[in-house]
Amino acid sequence: MFAVLILLCLSATVRDSSSLNLNFGANNVIDIFAVSDNDIANNTILTDDDPPPHNQAARMARYITHTSNWGAMATVAVREPIVGFPFANIFSLSDGPVDKSSGTPYMYISPWEVSAHDLRQNNQTSITMSLAQGNYCSKMNYDPEDPRCAHIILTGTFVKLTRESEEGQFAKKSLFSRHPIMPEWPEDHGWFFAKLDIKNILVLDFFGGAVTVPLEEYFNANPK
């Protein structure tokens, strides 16, 4: 009975919302909440392949960057009452279409976004991604804080891309192919493409502490 009541309430929500111009669509419950059936619980690229061995840190970093569909980005807050404090926020990411990894995380962001205000004053930032975002760690019974549940920290500068540039078009293809709801986001929010220009890479994928991966080694590594 409880499940039936929930379905009835959701159906009413859809009917009542059909008159709203949300720019998200209102054909079903999924549209109301601005996601498609392709997006639900889509934390990483679905793959049956295990990550690279822990002694191949560059490949591990590329693997995590490519398979992660989102990450936590840290900025330095400019808003009261937390001016100067670290501020972490979630962003959808893509380093390329499923079959073409670049190693560079791309984002689609609105200038209204809270972190965008921080980045306008200080574009230095870090992005963290983890194997815990997929199924591997739970399959292996690894806690997200277990070093074997590898995670990476990419540090660099946030760079806004020109939409019409070659890289801007690659960012668009990279993000829209992995996050198909993005083109339906409100047009009046000033969305733009951006990237993390990576300056430093830390990988923790085993006991003994994090290691620094040279940039050249990272970009030359095969993420598969």
Side-chain angles (χ1 to χ4, degrees):
M1 176 64 71
F2 182 69
V4 172
L5 289 174
I6 291 176
L7 288 173
L8 288 173
C9 290
L10 289 173
S11 298
T13 301
V14 172
R15 288 196 300 271
D16 293 343
S17 301
S18 61
S19 62
L20 299 176
N21 182 16
L22 299 177
N23 202 29
F24 287 138
N27 295 322
N28 51 46
V29 174
I30 298 301
D31 284 340
I32 291 298
F33 289 98
V35 294
S36 71
D37 53 0
N38 292 327
D39 297 320
I40 297 175
N42 195 16
N43 296 328
T44 60
I45 295 176
L46 297 178
T47 176
D48 294 327
D49 297 331
D50 285 344
H54 68 83
N55 60 351
Q56 298 182 24
R59 283 189 62 206
M60 179 68 80
R62 284 293 300 272
Y63 177 90
I64 294 175
T65 297
H66 185 54
T67 57
S68 297
N69 282 339
W70 59 272
M73 182 164 69
T75 57
V76 179
V78 298
R79 297 168 310 289
E80 296 289 355
I82 59 168
V83 173
F85 279 77
F87 183 81
N89 203 354
I90 297 297
F91 288 91
S92 297
L93 303 171
S94 175
D95 83 323
V98 172
D99 60 351
K100 190 174 183 181
S101 166
S102 72
T104 297
Y106 293 103
M107 293 153 274
Y108 193 47
I109 182 174
S110 166
W112 298 1
E113 222 288 327
V114 288
S115 297
H117 297 280
D118 301 338
L119 292 164
R120 275 197 293 272
Q121 292 198 28
N122 182 351
N123 69 343
Q124 296 175 317
T125 183
S126 290
I127 295 176
T128 297
M129 293 166 276
S130 169
L131 289 181
Q133 295 165 226
N135 298 321
Y136 175 75
C137 295
S138 58
K139 180 180 74 173
M140 300 299 292
N141 198 29
Y142 294 157
D143 186 86
E145 202 169 331
D146 188 316
R148 294 168 297 179
C149 184
H151 72 271
I152 62 173
I153 304 171
L154 307 179
T155 299
T157 55
F158 179 87
V159 178
K160 182 177 180 179
L161 300 175
T162 302
R163 183 181 289 259
E164 295 77 19
S165 68
E166 182 177 352
E167 189 171 19
Q169 288 300 300
F170 180 76
K172 178 180 179 180
K173 181 179 180 180
S174 301
L175 287 157
F176 286 9
S177 64
R178 301 264 295 267
H179 303 276
I181 196 64
M182 282 182 170
E184 300 182 34
W185 289 355
E187 295 179 359
D188 60 354
H189 281 39
W191 303 98
F192 62 89
F193 297 104
K195 70 175 181 179
L196 179 69
D197 185 12
I198 303 172
K199 305 298 184 184
N200 190 76
I201 300 164
L202 280 178
V203 178
L204 180 62
D205 62 359
F206 202 68
F207 304 104
V211 298
T212 299
V213 175
L215 292 179
E216 183 177 1
E217 187 176 336
Y218 170 81
F219 283 110
N220 286 335
N222 185 343
K224 299 181 180 180

